[in-house]
Amino acid sequence: LYPLSGVSNKLTLNCNENGFFSSYVSDRHGFNNPNYLWDEKNISLLLIGDSFTHGACVNYENTFAGNLNLKKKTISLGYGGNGPLIEYATLREYIKIIKPKKVLWFFAEKNDLPDLSKEYSNYVLKKYLEQPDFSQLLVEKQKIVDEIQTTNIEKEFIKFQKKKDAIFYFADYKIKDVFFLNHLRRFFSWRLQIDLTPEEIIKNEDYKLFKEIMLKSKKEVIKNNAELIFVFMPFYPGIKKNTERYENYLKILKIIDDLNINTIDLQKL
């Protein structure tokens, strides 16, 4: 089994970027939503995405879903570390029980396409693309998902304890980050609103795979009587013209446009 969510019905500590650890009580399927929403009819919005959509480092009321829920019934299936193939798999597993009116697919420019090759190498995830009727039946197997994810968390605690006990833990020091001054670049990028993000070279195979995923996602959404809306999120503070990142951005939007999927482009906004 390949879990697509976390442990269900548990107080969950997420992350700390603002001087406090964000937390939430996970819902019955291991996502960051109030449990009652799964009993609601007429869900307006289903959110698909990665850590932004999951609500990394903010509490529920400040997440995308928390804000949207003030106006429309919204369920988020976002989870940290997700890329397009995991997001498609998540859509396939859960949309049929949510039956939303619209699906907002949040695309994170910084890491969504670079994540794709790794996801495609996973034989379970690959089945979602190759077998139209494939399902892990995760809705019915949350107890098994909980067991797998609890084991994974326990393994991480053991690794953390080893790091804590070590005087010097080499794996903490990413040589690439040191050589390319990545932390300093990020700091000045945020403070000065200057784009110092390294250029991402995306392979043609990744674009083809992304297009296939989005086409199949659109078909899945239509099959469930909903509308798909693609939300493009650039890495702060935006994308400069005449760069590799800008070319990537244009290619992604062309794919979405060719598939006749409505777009909210935060780069333009």
Side-chain angles (χ1 to χ4, degrees):
L1 204 71
Y2 190 100
L4 300 172
S5 65
V7 182
S8 64
N9 300 310
K10 289 291 181 183
L11 175 61
T12 305
L13 293 181
N14 197 345
C15 50
N16 180 354
E17 287 181 349
N18 302 297
F20 67 93
F21 271 96
S22 61
S23 64
Y24 62 92
V25 177
S26 56
D27 64 27
R28 68 189 66 168
H29 297 295
F31 295 101
N32 184 6
N33 300 288
N35 240 330
Y36 74 87
L37 283 167
W38 292 92
D39 298 319
E40 293 280 333
K41 293 180 180 177
N42 300 317
I43 295 294
S44 294
L45 301 172
L46 168 60
L47 312 187
I48 296 286
D50 63 2
S51 56
F52 281 97
T53 315
H54 187 181
C57 307
V58 296
N59 289 326
Y60 180 77
E61 62 270 19
N62 293 316
T63 64
F64 295 165
N67 276 282
L68 289 166
N69 238 329
L70 297 173
K71 302 258 182 185
K72 296 179 181 293
K73 293 175 187 173
T74 304
I75 287 181
S76 170
L77 300 182
Y79 216 85
N82 283 2
L85 185 50
I86 291 179
E87 288 159 0
Y88 172 57
T90 304
L91 182 74
R92 285 262 297 271
E93 290 288 339
Y94 296 96
I95 189 173
K96 50 188 174 286
I97 64 165
I98 298 170
K99 296 182 170 53
K101 293 174 184 171
K102 296 180 190 290
V103 174
L104 294 183
W105 182 297
F106 289 90
F107 179 90
E109 177 240 349
K110 180 171 168 54
N111 50 16
D112 269 13
L113 282 190
D115 287 344
L116 203 43
S117 298
K118 186 178 176 184
E119 290 181 354
Y120 192 60
S121 66
N122 182 281
Y123 77 97
V124 177
L125 294 175
K126 215 170 182 177
K127 288 181 181 179
Y128 285 97
L129 278 183
E130 295 174 349
Q131 301 176 24
D133 298 321
F134 175 73
S135 173
Q136 298 183 82
L137 301 174
L138 293 179
V139 172
E140 302 166 17
K141 296 178 182 175
Q142 189 60 43
K143 188 176 179 183
I144 301 171
V145 169
D146 288 353
E147 289 169 1
I148 292 170
Q149 296 293 53
T150 300
T151 301
N152 289 336
I153 290 168
E154 287 168 352
K155 286 177 182 175
E156 287 300 319
F157 271 121
I158 292 167
K159 279 163 64 177
F160 172 76
Q161 193 61 47
K162 285 179 181 175
K163 284 167 68 173
K164 193 178 168 189
D165 294 343
I167 296 171
F168 178 82
Y169 194 76
F170 188 76
D172 275 351
Y173 296 87
K174 296 179 181 176
I175 300 302
K176 187 179 173 185
D177 279 355
V178 173
F179 279 124
F180 289 97
L181 304 176
N182 281 346
H183 294 296
L184 275 176
R185 289 160 70 100
R186 278 195 287 272
F187 174 80
F188 285 115
S189 180
W190 280 87
R191 288 292 180 184
L192 304 177
Q193 295 197 22
I194 298 170
D195 185 0
L196 297 173
T197 312
E199 302 282 77
E200 287 285 3
I201 308 297
I202 310 296
K203 298 173 185 172
N204 284 332
E205 305 90 81
D206 291 331
Y207 286 114
K208 287 178 186 174
L209 189 54
F210 175 66
K211 185 170 186 176
E212 182 184 355
I213 289 168
M214 293 313 301
L215 174 61
K216 290 186 174 177
S217 296
K218 181 183 177 182
K219 288 179 178 177
E220 187 69 26
V221 170
I222 290 170
K223 187 172 83 176
N224 286 275
N225 302 310
E227 177 194 356
L228 178 62
I229 299 170
F230 184 82
V231 184
F232 183 89
M233 296 189 299
F235 185 58
Y236 185 87
I239 307 170
K240 282 188 176 181
K241 290 187 176 180
N242 303 318
T243 62
E244 188 73 34
R245 285 180 60 213
Y246 190 74
E247 292 303 312
N248 294 341
Y249 156 71
L250 292 178
K251 287 176 186 175
I252 290 159
L253 286 198
K254 185 174 187 316
I255 287 170
I256 299 303
D257 189 53
D258 288 346
L259 295 174
N260 292 315
I261 297 171
N262 287 332
T263 304
I264 297 171
D265 182 0
L266 299 183
Q267 166 67 17
K268 282 185 180 175
L269 293 175

